[in-house]
Structures are given as structure tokens and as C-alpha cells.
Amino acid sequence: MSIPGRYAERVQFAPSQLTPRNQLKKPVKDVLNEINKRSKAKAEMKTGPQGMIIFEGQGPVEAVRQALKEVANQLGSKQSVKVAVPASVRAHVIGRQGATIQAISKRTGARIQVPKQEDSTAMDEDDDSSTIDVVIEGDAVTAEMARREIEAIVNERTSTVNMRLKDVPAEYFPFLAGAHNSRINAIQEGRDVRVQIPQYHTWSSQAPPQAPPNRQPAAFAPQAGSSIQISGDRQAAAEARAEIERQVQELQRQLTAEQMSIERGRHQFIVGDKGNAMHDFLEKTGCA
């Protein structure tokens, strides 16, 4: 039976999340006695499984929560947590004139720092793959409460996302897309996500690298203004990005380059109608 006014709640800490005894001004027992005298709740310390320390409070709901906050504040070690937040969500975390972030800080007791606007001017706020680090400082409980509230805002605002992968060399694009976009289709299949990899069969802003000796991997560099776009459900987009990044790592270890001269007038026959011959060549040979 739930008796009115006899609410119970508990928080648990790993030993590393508590301030060492030699750094406390008073024994834990004395700290709890003082909190209980000031509060309408009763807080007790217990030992949990695997060495965890549990503090349990009983009494009226608000009194219990306030007592446990005081326990965490006085006995918990200070934590500093970084939460990666899409740059596009920055304004929603702060709120109008800072109202949202101030409310989170007041509710949880944590100190929250968001980078200034000028610190993130180089980031594209329409690109959800650009992130900023929100720093949360407090004890283990307050920091965790604040982290959950901030992540709830991120989840609400980024159920669908747009990402741009700008650090992938364009020479990898044909291999990542696959012949006739076969690899893109495999990534998209069964997921609420769309992947767009630009066609790239012609050297544009830079000369081809010298063929490495003994068929060693070639060093290709990303090109400005040339990026892979991923859009759709947040989880599906993250999975698609992870798969593409895995393939990029393989290509970095595997791709080499060869060069040969062909008369200019014959290029059209190699490229074919709308570049389809290039897709067929990739499919048959594994080369672009």
C-alpha cells in the first residue's frame, strides 16, 4: 500500500563518484543527520551490489528529492561531462534569452556552458553532422539529470537529420556508390534514409597523384565543395554514416592508382552515354 507522505526514492553512486572520506569536513553519518534535521525526509546510506553506495530517502516527494540532492551535493565528487549537440539545436538548448538553459540549471543544480555563437561560426548550422560540445558541471546526480534534459531536447529536435560528410576524398565516391549505385541501395534498403554521393569520374580541382611504387595505397585528399549527403531518420542516418565511414577506412588501405595516356578523341567511348560505361567498367573490374 502506498501511504500518503511516505514516498521512497534512492540514488546510487560508484565509489569513484563520491568525495573521498579524507576530503570531507565531516563524517558521512554527521552529514546525513544534518540533512535529516533540516528536511521532512529521512535519508539513509546502504551498500549495494558490486560495491555501489545507495542513498535512500523516505518522506514527502519534494522533501525526499531535495534531501537526495543535498546528499549528492555534499558527498558527490564534482563531475564535468561533455555532450555533443548538433549545432542546429544550439538555439533550442539555450532558449529565448537563455530561458531554457537557466531553467535546466535551476531544476538540476548543474552548471551548463554552451559555446558562444562566434566560437561556432565556422560550423554550418543546417548540417546536423556539425556539433558543439555542451559542458555540464556538477555532482554525479545533477550532471546526469542535466545531461538527460539536454539529450531530450536534441531527440525532440532531430528526429530527422541532414548530414554532410565533407572529409571523404572524391576519388572514393565511385567505390562508395557502387556500380549503378548498388552500394547506396544496399545502405538505404530497409532504412528511412537517403544517401546522395556525387558522381565523380573527372579530375577537377587537382592533378592526379603520382602512381605509388609497388602498388601501395594512394594518398587522396578531400576536395572543398564536394561532400556526401545523408538525410532521414536520426538513427538510420547514424547507421548509414557509420557504414560509409567503415568503407572509407577500407578504401584508405586498399586503393592504389595507375595512369595511362589515351588520345583525347577516344575519351567519349570510354565514358559512354551519361557515364554508364564507367559504371559497367567498375562492375566488371572493381576499378574506377
Side-chain angles (χ1 to χ4, degrees):
M1 178 185 296
S2 178
I3 302 173
R6 298 307 299 171
Y7 172 78
E9 188 172 329
R10 55 170 53 187
V11 292
Q12 68 176 24
F13 298 86
S16 60
Q17 293 176 313
L18 293 174
T19 303
R21 172 65 187 90
N22 58 7
Q23 295 179 22
L24 292 173
K25 294 179 180 179
K26 300 176 181 178
V28 174
K29 185 178 179 180
D30 292 349
V31 173
L32 291 177
N33 286 337
E34 289 182 2
I35 292 173
N36 289 337
K37 284 180 181 179
R38 291 193 302 268
S39 172
K40 293 180 181 179
K42 182 182 179 183
E44 296 179 317
M45 183 177 75
K46 301 177 180 180
T47 301
Q50 299 176 340
M52 300 296 286
I53 308 299
I54 297 172
F55 292 93
E56 185 174 88
Q58 294 185 10
V61 175
E62 291 305 318
V64 167
R65 289 179 175 169
Q66 184 58 38
L68 292 179
K69 266 189 184 180
E70 284 194 50
V71 169
N73 185 45
Q74 294 193 44
L75 300 179
S77 60
K78 299 306 177 186
Q79 310 281 315
S80 181
V81 180
K82 283 186 179 180
V83 181
V85 172
S88 58
V89 184
R90 179 184 179 279
H92 301 289
V93 171
I94 295 173
R96 180 172 293 182
Q97 297 181 333
T100 303
I101 197 169
Q102 288 173 17
I104 295 173
S105 185
K106 185 176 180 180
R107 277 195 300 273
T108 64
R111 183 168 179 259
I112 305 168
Q113 299 178 65
V114 178
K116 293 180 180 179
Q117 186 71 40
E118 54 265 28
D119 294 341
S120 56
T121 50
M123 297 180 180
D124 183 353
E125 296 216 351
D126 293 327
D127 177 10
D128 293 316
S129 57
S130 297
T131 61
I132 58 172
D133 283 335
V134 174
V135 179
I136 302 170
E137 296 176 342
D139 58 66
V141 172
T142 58
E144 175 63 14
M145 289 167 62
R147 183 189 68 79
R148 289 181 182 179
E149 290 209 27
I150 289 171
E151 289 192 343
I153 295 173
V154 173
N155 291 338
E156 180 184 353
R157 295 288 174 179
T158 58
S159 57
T160 60
V161 295
N162 295 291
M163 298 179 178
R164 285 203 288 271
L165 307 188
K166 303 173 185 177
D167 56 352
V168 179
E171 288 80 9
Y172 294 175
F173 290 175
F175 302 95
L176 294 171
H180 302 286
N181 291 329
S182 57
R183 282 195 166 188
I184 291 180
N185 294 336
I187 291 175
Q188 295 179 155
E189 187 176 1
R191 293 189 178 107
D192 183 12
V193 68
R194 186 179 181 210
V195 179
Q196 294 176 281
I197 300 179
Q199 286 198 6
Y200 188 81
H201 299 303
T202 306
W203 295 95
S204 54
S205 60
Q206 63 186 33
Q210 295 296 316
N214 302 323
R215 300 185 184 275
Q216 292 298 306
F220 299 108
Q223 297 183 24
S226 186
S227 60
I228 296 171
Q229 296 186 39
I230 304 172
S231 59
D233 173 78
R234 187 164 63 95
Q235 181 60 35
E239 292 172 357
R241 178 177 184 170
E243 175 59 22
I244 289 172
E245 289 175 341
R246 184 191 66 77
Q247 293 181 19
V248 166
Q249 289 180 351
E250 288 185 5
L251 292 170
Q252 287 173 338
R253 295 191 297 267
Q254 295 173 354
L255 275 195
T256 189
E258 292 282 352
Q259 299 181 43
M260 60 186 298
S261 297
I262 298 176
E263 293 84 348
R264 184 179 298 274
R266 298 185 180 183
H267 290 182
Q268 59 184 314
F269 303 108
I270 297 169
V271 175
D273 182 33
K274 298 181 181 179
N276 283 329
M278 305 293 279
H279 289 290
D280 295 336
F281 189 85
L282 175 61
E283 188 173 30
K284 292 177 181 177
T285 68
C287 299

